[in-house]
């Protein structure tokens, strides 16, 4: 997908990773990294993401899953891309239904509601068709994803968001676990409120036509990149409706038919 005529150097990849890491550590959003790696160089963008995740794992964090982004045709069109992306979930990103989430850990938080899956089998071998993906799911659960961008003003191209771990921030899982015999992900309906006001609605079909197709895309992409999906991992399959900004003190709640509800409240303090 790269339209660039010049090769992206390892130095540029390192510099992009440093820029994003500095934004995260100082709490000050940075310039986009596309000046370093181009707007749509997929391999370089994932290389930057890998540097950032590697540094956090080296600091003691554990990979617990993946998030899929850009599953909505409208968002793909907005960024001028024709494929989703993914980021990595770490153990310090996990919250549970009803938790109070410190808003100061984010730079520019926005929240979306989605179906999450927890895996009972690896997705490393075989055809990775949708039947295999369905069989690998232990259960589905209602989730909120707290997206965040280290890039000032969310001024992102495809490469910027991929490099920035697909604009991942944190996530909140509901407490109701449902097998795929109990719920059909593409048929669910979602409503999300922020402090009591409905701000986002959508359906399972809004996520690449079926959240399981999003997981299939991810399973193949992750295996291609040498890091296949593993048993026990949490997979956030992509937004069912528009992403909305949140401010200090906000309570976000989502209801997804067949999966129940999930909510969190953000602290009043920004820092």
């Amino acid at each position: 997908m790269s339209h660039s005529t010049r090769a992206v150097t390892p130095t540029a990849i390192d510099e992009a990773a440093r820029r994003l890491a500095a934004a995260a550590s100082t709490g000050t959003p940075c310039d986009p990294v596309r000046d370093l790696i181009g707007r749509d160089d997929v391999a370089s963008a994932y290389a930057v993401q890998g540097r950032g995740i590697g540094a956090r794992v080296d600091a003691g964090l554990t990979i617990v899953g993946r998030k899929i982004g850009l599953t909505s045709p409208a968002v793909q069109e907005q960024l001028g891309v024709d494929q989703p992306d993914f980021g990595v979930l770490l153990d310090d990103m996990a919250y549970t239904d009803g938790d109070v989430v410190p808003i100061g850990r984010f730079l520019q938080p926005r929240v979306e509601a989605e179906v999450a899956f927890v895996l009972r089998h690896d997705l490393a071998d075989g055809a990775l068709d949708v039947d295999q993906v369905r069989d690998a799911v232990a259960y589905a659960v209602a989730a909120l994803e707290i997206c965040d961008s280290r890039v000032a003003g969310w001024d992102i191209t495809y490469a910027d968001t991929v490099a920035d771990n697909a604009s991942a921030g944190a996530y909140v899982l509901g407490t109701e676990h449902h097998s795929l015999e109990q719920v059909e992900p593409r048929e669910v309906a979602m409503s999300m409120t922020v402090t009591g006001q409905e701000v986002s609605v959508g359906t399972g079909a809004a996520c690449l036509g079926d959240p399981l197709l999003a997981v299939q895309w991810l399973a193949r992409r992750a295996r291609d990149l040498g890091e296949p999906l593993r048993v026990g991992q949490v997979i956030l399959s992509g937004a069912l409706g528009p992403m909305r900004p949140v401010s200090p003190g906000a309570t976000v709640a989502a209801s997804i038919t067949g999966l129940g509800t999930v909510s969190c409240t953000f602290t009043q303090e920004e820092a």
Side-chain angles (χ1 to χ4, degrees), residues 136-199:
V137 170
Y139 59 84
V141 56
L144 296 172
E145 183 184 352
I146 304 162
C147 303
D148 196 20
S149 182
R150 272 54 65 174
V151 176
W154 281 86
D155 175 17
I156 54 174
T157 62
Y158 187 78
D160 293 306
T161 184
V162 169
D164 188 26
N165 196 26
S167 306
Y171 66 95
V172 186
L173 295 185
T175 55
E176 288 187 34
H177 299 169
H178 292 275
S179 75
L180 298 186
E181 285 84 49
Q182 296 172 303
V183 64
E184 188 54 62
R186 70 172 176 271
E187 294 173 1
V188 303
M190 177 279 295
S191 167
M192 185 176 80
T193 62
V194 174
T195 315
Q197 180 178 357
E198 186 175 69
V199 295

Side-chain angles (χ1 to χ4, degrees), residues 2 29 35 37 41 69 88 150 167 190 222-223 231 235 257 261 266:
S2 176
D35 62 315
I37 62 171
D41 185 327
V88 176
R150 272 54 65 174
S167 306
M190 177 279 295
R223 183 173 69 179
V231 62
I235 310 298
T257 56
T261 60
F266 291 91

Side-chain angles (χ1 to χ4, degrees), residues 36-49:
L36 297 167
I37 62 171
R39 298 174 64 89
D40 52 19
D41 185 327
V42 178
S44 295
Y46 278 111
V48 175
Q49 180 187 121

Side-chain angles (χ1 to χ4, degrees), residues 86-98:
F86 75 83
V88 176
L89 302 178
L90 297 161
D91 56 347
D92 72 334
M93 298 180 182
Y95 291 92
T96 304
D97 187 33

Side-chain angles (χ1 to χ4, degrees), residues 246-259:
V246 287
S247 50
T251 293
V252 181
S255 171
I256 300 178
T257 56
L259 295 176

